[in-house]
Amino acid sequence: MRPLIASIRLAHFRHNYLLARQQHGGRALAVVKANAYGHGAVRCAQAVADVADGYAVACLEEALQLRAAGISLPILLLEGVFEAAELAEVQAHGLWLVVQNREQLAMLLAAPAAKPYRVWLKMDSGMHRAGFFPADYATAYRELQESGKVDAIVKMTHFARADEPGCPATDAQIAAFDAATAGLGGETSLANSAGIMIHADARRDWGRPGIMLYGATPLPAGHAANVGLKAVMQLTTRIFGVRELGVGEPVGYGASFHTERPTRVGLMACGYADGYPRLASTGSPVLIDGIASRVIGRVSMDMMTVDLTDIPQAGVGSTVELWGDTISVNDVAAHAGSIGYEVLCNVKRAHFRYE
């Protein structure tokens, strides 16, 4: 078999969840949307089923996948519903839902309710992507409260710049949220991963840790607040070809890299069709038989080339860590002008092994 392996360490996922909940205080929904950021939603959810307070997914399809696998804990639909017919499934499967605009509110108010809904009412406190504006929030809250169709309303918002330490935008969003919800009862939820890690004022009743569950920090490189996270995915492959090149020789498509010295080039099984970012290319870090090296040349669809010159013992069959315990997925993403979230979500065609 092609030797590209995504090892998913479920014990690390569990460790990160417990760490996130402890730092946040209160309760925490494990965010397992987008197939658990590419890690496998069912397996990750099962790994914390005995300790989690619930889960958060993007949409109904993701929630139904978890229910079909026997997950019985609360599941929140972060995008809410897209049409009124979905509310019957919400009721049938005991799901919680976000209401973030007037259209979703109208759907809920008009729908039959054999049992009450659990609603997370979202405020646009400054991100300007989704949610009720602060001036409209109390009205929406009271409409839900007076409808007789909800058993509880969790007040929530989402941060735009919580991953920028020292940026005043998050404090401004918290202040806007608190002012607009003054006098409205019920629990609150503000903190995403970055909020949990560095914004103490955002730690309220419910946290919503996402990327930190997978062992990747949302914070800038070098920031100390990684709270002991462990990488859940270790992506590895093997060298399956070696060639010796002299000085000034091109490597790969477009001849974007030329050797500056006699160079041993290793060919490994991974490319952008597997989810490795094409724009990472020369300089992206790798670990070859435990020794740091780099990608050279452009990333191809199925293959990549790496520098073996200073690792004379490496050759065909050598193991390469693309990211995991030593190589940070954030560093790989930075070489591609991207973020760890995107890189992890894009992994495919690898053999997934759960440990």
Side-chain angles (χ1 to χ4, degrees):
M1 293 189 300
R2 193 159 175 265
L4 182 63
I5 308 297
S7 298
I8 308 299
R9 285 79 62 85
L10 295 173
H12 289 191
F13 182 82
R14 184 181 178 92
H15 165 87
N16 294 338
Y17 172 79
L18 292 172
L19 204 61
R21 188 174 66 176
Q22 179 184 39
Q23 185 168 15
H24 177 266
R27 287 162 288 173
L29 296 181
V31 179
V32 292
K33 64 180 179 176
N35 197 29
Y37 293 39
H39 292 69
V42 169
R43 295 299 296 269
C44 288
Q46 290 171 336
V48 295
D50 61 327
V51 294
D53 299 308
Y55 307 95
V57 297
C59 55
L60 180 62
E61 302 96 298
E62 294 179 339
L64 295 183
Q65 180 189 34
L66 296 183
R67 286 287 188 252
I71 298 296
S72 59
L73 291 172
I75 302 173
L76 175 67
L77 306 181
L78 290 168
E79 293 182 345
V81 296
F82 296 92
E83 55 187 63
E86 293 183 32
L87 289 169
E89 295 281 5
V90 169
Q91 289 242 313
H93 295 280
L95 305 175
W96 297 354
L97 74 158
V98 167
V99 171
Q100 60 187 358
N101 56 44
R102 177 55 58 177
E103 291 74 20
Q104 288 180 337
L105 178 60
M107 289 180 201
L108 190 147
L109 294 177
K115 52 188 175 182
Y117 295 93
R118 178 68 55 89
V119 170
W120 289 47
L121 185 62
K122 189 170 188 177
M123 181 190 298
D124 178 0
S125 60
M127 188 172 185
H128 297 338
R129 187 181 66 174
F132 290 87
F133 287 118
D136 302 322
Y137 191 83
T139 298
Y141 179 96
R142 293 191 177 100
E143 287 182 57
L144 283 171
Q145 192 176 50
E146 294 167 3
S147 71
K149 295 183 177 182
V150 300
D151 62 0
I153 303 171
V154 178
K155 299 163 291 181
M156 72 176 295
T157 194
H158 192 60
F159 296 136
R161 303 180 68 182
D163 56 351
E164 300 177 40
C167 176
T170 300
D171 290 337
Q173 284 195 251
I174 294 171
F177 178 87
D178 286 343
T181 58
L184 302 180
E187 297 176 324
T188 58
S189 176
L190 279 72
N192 55 3
S193 289
I196 290 171
M197 294 170 75
I198 60 173
H199 295 281
D201 288 348
R203 300 170 192 159
R204 304 292 176 91
D205 299 295
W206 288 91
R208 306 188 308 273
I211 191 67
M212 68 186 299
L213 299 182
Y214 307 96
T217 174
L219 304 178
H223 197 279
N226 62 13
V227 301
L229 300 172
K230 296 181 179 181
V232 175
M233 181 189 293
Q234 183 181 45
L235 188 66
T236 61
T237 189
R238 292 188 180 276
I239 302 293
F240 71 100
V242 177
R243 66 186 58 237
E244 308 273 353
L245 296 178
V247 177
E249 296 293 339
V251 176
Y253 283 119
S256 62
F257 175 84
H258 286 76
T259 59
E260 297 175 347
R261 58 175 178 166
T263 301
R264 292 181 72 233
V265 179
L267 182 66
M268 62 183 184
C270 184
Y272 61 77
D274 305 295
Y276 196 93
R278 180 179 179 272
L279 295 180
S281 298
T282 296
S284 187
V286 294
L287 195 73
I288 303 171
D289 288 342
I291 300 173
S293 188
R294 60 176 181 154
V295 173
I296 53 177
R298 288 184 185 172
V299 175
S300 303
M301 181 180 288
D302 311 300
M303 295 175 281
M304 297 160 55
T305 45
V306 292
D307 193 347
L308 302 180
T309 309
D310 296 327
I311 315 174
Q313 71 274 26
V316 172
S318 288
T319 297
V320 182
E321 179 185 279
L322 300 169
W323 60 73
D325 294 331
T326 302
I327 304 298
S328 166
V329 69
N330 286 350
D331 290 342
V332 174
H335 276 271
S338 183
I339 55 176
Y341 302 71
E342 181 182 30
V343 174
L344 290 171
C345 287
N346 283 342
V347 175
K348 52 189 178 294
R349 207 169 60 165
H351 301 285
F352 278 70
R353 294 180 180 173
Y354 290 88
E355 303 172 2

